Amino acid sequence: MTLRNVTVIGTGYVGLTTGACLASLGHRVVCADADPGKVERLRRAEVDILEPDLPDVVRAGLASGRLEFTQDTRAAVEKAEVVFLCLPTPMGVGGAADLAAVEAVADEIRDRLPRGCTVVNKSTVPVGTAERVAALLDRPDVTVASNPEFLREGRAVHDFLHPDRIVVGAADPDAARQVADLYVGIDAPRVLTDTAGAELAKYAANFFLAMKLSFANNLATLCERLDADVDDVIAGIGHDPRIGRAFLDPGPGWGGSCLPKDTHALLNVCEESGVEFPLLRATIETNVEHQRRLVERVVAGCAGPDGSLRGVRLALLGLAFKAGTSDLRDSPALAIARLLRERGAELYAYDPAVSERRPDLSDLLTIVDTPLDAVDGARACVVLTEWPQFRDLDWAAVAGRLGTPLVFDFRNILDPGRLGEAALSWEGVGRTPAMAS
């Protein structure tokens, strides 16, 4: 087993998970971040993000001496054999990925990289980025590779240590094998390719997952029109191994830190390449239309005499883009909230992972401390994140606080029977109370 000196630049979800998990595999890892406060907290094993098992892995790495944190990016790479770039690539103008952070770091470390080291793009980047980074580095003695991450928030540590596959792309096959060999002891298929293949694999994966979710949401609408139960239909197709059950749960639309920006970035790549990909465009448009359709259902059930939600108080349960994380980036819950607010609704929201008041959301909604605070006097309750604790709420108490006994369960996680016993009316996605019972 060959243990390496590894530097990870960026300590977000991907960077911190990558650094801490590589240290747990025995490598010597330095994680660099430009935020001095964050570096100091990480040195004390204080992890800001909500991610199961990650604080434990960070503590273990620090205790073993194999994991350290620094703000000095240039010094961090001086002894590195492998340098991972785990930097933000947000959606930029026209949907293209904004590579400013990647380019800035490449410029910063250019003259400090040791001869023969490998720079690895871990961030999700457009095809051609590895070549772009190589040109910026202008170091023929340094190889640039692509090793896209396939980590799910809420399961990032598990996914790193138990991946479905490890994809590495490099022009030099030996460099690709060297990067793949970092995952020592992990039993997973290795896909070794060139950088274009690795970069496109990440975008293709996220597009396909988004497409399945848009399909499920559109299917749910069809089920509502035809009095069919979407759960039964999905069960009927999900057992087919060619289709699979994963990512077929209807809900309030898809979102999060990856799918929206990556589908738009891929669409931008298609346009620049002169390739028509109507399925990709339809996947994005279907998601937007689905959210509008859900909002119209709330309007139909809660609108005032003027047909609007002006002055109507609504309770939102859930703000994070999915349960198990506090991440609000491109959350479908917030997309629904914005559409409701545009119709005039006054929104009060509760999320177990979002407790602090958020100044950036103050014009949109009010965050409260408990679910009962959210529903107090509300015209309806709208469930937008699949937190399991919402199933176990005292729904009789909720009914006593709601102004109108109406619950929109846009995650299909509640028991309509229990709500019925509390004299509450339940509406799901692609299901009726009778079907759910």
Side-chain angles (χ1 to χ4, degrees):
M1 178 174 71
T2 302
L3 300 179
R4 302 288 185 182
N5 293 324
V6 178
T7 296
V8 176
I9 302 177
T11 59
Y13 277 96
V14 174
L16 187 56
T17 301
T18 298
C21 288
L22 285 175
S24 77
L25 297 177
H27 302 291
R28 297 170 293 274
V29 182
V30 179
C31 290
D33 198 282
D35 184 341
K38 188 176 187 181
V39 168
E40 286 303 315
R41 291 191 296 276
L42 288 171
R43 286 172 173 169
R44 298 191 298 267
E46 297 175 8
V47 177
D48 295 336
I49 56 181
L50 178 62
E51 188 61 46
D53 302 321
L54 186 54
D56 293 336
V57 181
V58 170
R59 277 192 293 270
L62 290 168
S64 70
R66 291 192 297 269
L67 179 64
E68 60 181 279
F69 296 94
T70 182
Q71 189 190 349
D72 192 341
T73 300
R74 286 165 61 82
V77 303
E78 288 182 338
K79 297 181 180 180
E81 296 171 88
V82 182
V83 177
F84 281 92
L85 304 184
C86 301
L87 301 161
T89 54
M91 191 187 309
V93 178
D98 184 348
L99 300 177
V102 174
E103 293 171 348
V105 167
D107 183 65
E108 183 180 7
I109 66 176
R110 177 192 303 115
D111 60 351
R112 294 293 188 96
L113 293 169
R115 289 182 59 85
C117 86
T118 301
V119 174
V120 184
N121 278 329
K122 195 74 172 170
S123 309
T124 303
V125 293
V127 175
T129 300
E131 295 177 353
R132 189 171 177 177
V133 170
L136 287 170
L137 292 175
D138 194 22
R139 288 282 304 273
D141 57 320
V142 171
T143 299
V144 178
S146 175
N147 174 216
E149 54 85 13
F150 298 97
L151 307 178
R152 294 167 292 176
E153 289 186 34
R155 294 177 60 87
V157 172
H158 176 275
D159 288 350
F160 190 98
L161 298 175
H162 306 278
D164 297 314
R165 74 286 201 195
I166 296 168
V167 178
V168 183
D172 179 357
D174 289 336
R177 280 190 289 271
Q178 182 190 62
V179 174
D181 287 344
L182 292 172
Y183 298 86
V184 60
I186 293 179
D187 183 19
R190 266 69 165 166
V191 180
L192 303 184
T193 179
D194 56 19
T195 55
E199 290 164 343
L200 187 55
K202 171 63 175 180
Y203 276 128
N206 279 351
F207 163 37
F208 194 83
L209 296 176
M211 182 179 64
K212 289 188 73 173
L213 289 169
S214 283
F215 168 81
N217 288 328
N218 234 153
L219 182 64
T221 301
L222 182 62
C223 287
E224 291 167 5
R225 300 287 173 85
L226 300 179
D227 292 325
D229 185 343
V230 71
D231 275 14
D232 290 345
V233 176
I234 289 172
I237 65 175
H239 288 289
D240 187 329
R242 297 170 300 174
I243 298 174
R245 179 62 181 79
F247 271 68
L248 284 179
D249 291 311
W254 44 267
S257 61
C258 293
L259 297 190
K261 75 178 183 67
D262 290 352
T263 49
H264 281 89
L266 181 57
L267 186 60
N268 183 268
V269 169
C270 291
E271 291 170 348
E272 290 184 347
S273 303
V275 174
E276 287 295 325
F277 212 146
L279 189 58
L280 173 56
R281 194 180 300 276
T283 293
I284 297 170
E285 293 172 351
T286 296
N287 192 51
V288 174
E289 180 56 33
H290 175 70
Q291 292 173 337
R292 290 178 180 149
R293 193 160 46 237
L294 294 184
V295 167
E296 290 305 320
R297 287 177 55 184
V298 177
V299 172
C302 302
D306 62 352
S308 80
L309 295 177
R310 191 173 297 109
V312 173
R313 175 167 176 161
L314 296 175
L316 308 183
L317 296 187
L319 293 174
F321 88 92
K322 70 173 185 177
T325 178
S326 58
D327 197 347
L328 300 182
R329 288 176 292 177
D330 277 308
S331 170
L334 291 181
I336 296 288
R338 291 187 183 96
L339 291 172
L340 291 170
R341 188 75 184 91
E342 287 174 6
R343 305 297 288 268
E346 297 176 0
L347 307 175
Y348 289 78
Y350 169 77
D351 188 296
V354 187
S355 56
E356 76 276 9
R357 303 300 184 259
R358 296 285 300 260
D360 56 318
L361 299 177
S362 59
D363 291 338
L364 176 63
L365 49 80
T366 299
I367 297 175
V368 296
D369 295 326
T370 71
L372 291 181
D373 290 335
V375 302
D376 196 17
R379 185 78 59 87
C381 172
V382 187
V383 179
L384 294 170
T385 308
E386 72 281 21
W387 288 103
Q389 48 265 58
F390 292 158
R391 295 191 188 98
D392 301 322
L393 287 179
D394 183 345
W395 286 100
V398 170
R401 297 285 194 98
L402 273 173
T404 304
L406 183 57
V407 176
F408 293 95
D409 179 11
F410 289 157
R411 288 287 188 173
N412 286 352
I413 63 167
L414 305 180
D415 180 350
R418 283 190 61 197
L419 270 65
E421 292 171 1
L424 290 168
S425 174
W426 175 89
E427 287 193 25
V429 181
R431 313 189 76 199
T432 67
M435 293 170 184
S437 297

